[in-house]
Amino acid sequence: MTNSPAAHNIEILYSEEELNSKIAKIAKEISAKYRHETVYMFCILNGAAHFFSSLTSKITDVDVIEKYMRTSSYGANTVSSGKVEVEVTFDAGTNIKDKPIIIVEDIIDSGHTMETLVQIFRRMSPKSIEVCTMLDKPSRREVNDFPIDYCGFTVDDVFIVGYGLDYDQRYRNLPYIGYIPQ
């Protein structure tokens, strides 16, 4: 079957146990910073859904308001197009003025998507904007006009799959993060 992990010889980078440990650490940091506060957390679909769900379920003593957004900068291949389309899927009436927000992403590589999102949110005048990513790929960074406040792992320039990240919509369901050797 061509969509099996073995068909692409996926190499494991981070096991399920390593992911759970890192997510618990990030959740603990967010819990400590926002204890007894309300924070708006924006999940960037589809890739960040696994990470977002695991992360928010481990945040304690914080009133988390979950919101979802869809962006796209990839076509049917493995290289970012650099063009970002943003579909806002949270309520148009959502008021984040003077409220802290955290943008949760699966992976940041070129930085174009995150730069666009941060610009959109800045116009809404939140109290603060933080960026949380499971993976950071700084070797591919083209723009860097945003902070990365919470980061799971820094990865090399390889094509990553699993734990929400896909190759042509496949492999999101893998419980680990791996890469497809080129």
Side-chain angles (χ1 to χ4, degrees), residues 85-118:
E85 298 174 18
V86 177
E87 175 187 340
V88 179
T89 57
F90 61 93
D91 305 329
T94 297
N95 181 4
I96 60 168
K97 183 175 173 42
D98 299 324
K99 297 183 174 82
I101 68 163
I102 301 174
I103 305 168
V104 181
E105 181 66 288
D106 55 356
I107 186 168
I108 299 173
D109 60 22
S110 73
H112 290 287
T113 300
M114 192 54 63
E115 178 186 52
T116 300
L117 289 171
V118 169

Side-chain angles (χ1 to χ4, degrees), residues 161-178:
V161 295
Y163 207 74
L165 293 104
D166 73 299
Y167 172 74
D168 198 20
Q169 299 302 316
R170 293 182 173 97
Y171 310 129
R172 289 188 196 278
N173 62 311
L174 298 176
Y176 56 83
I177 291 177

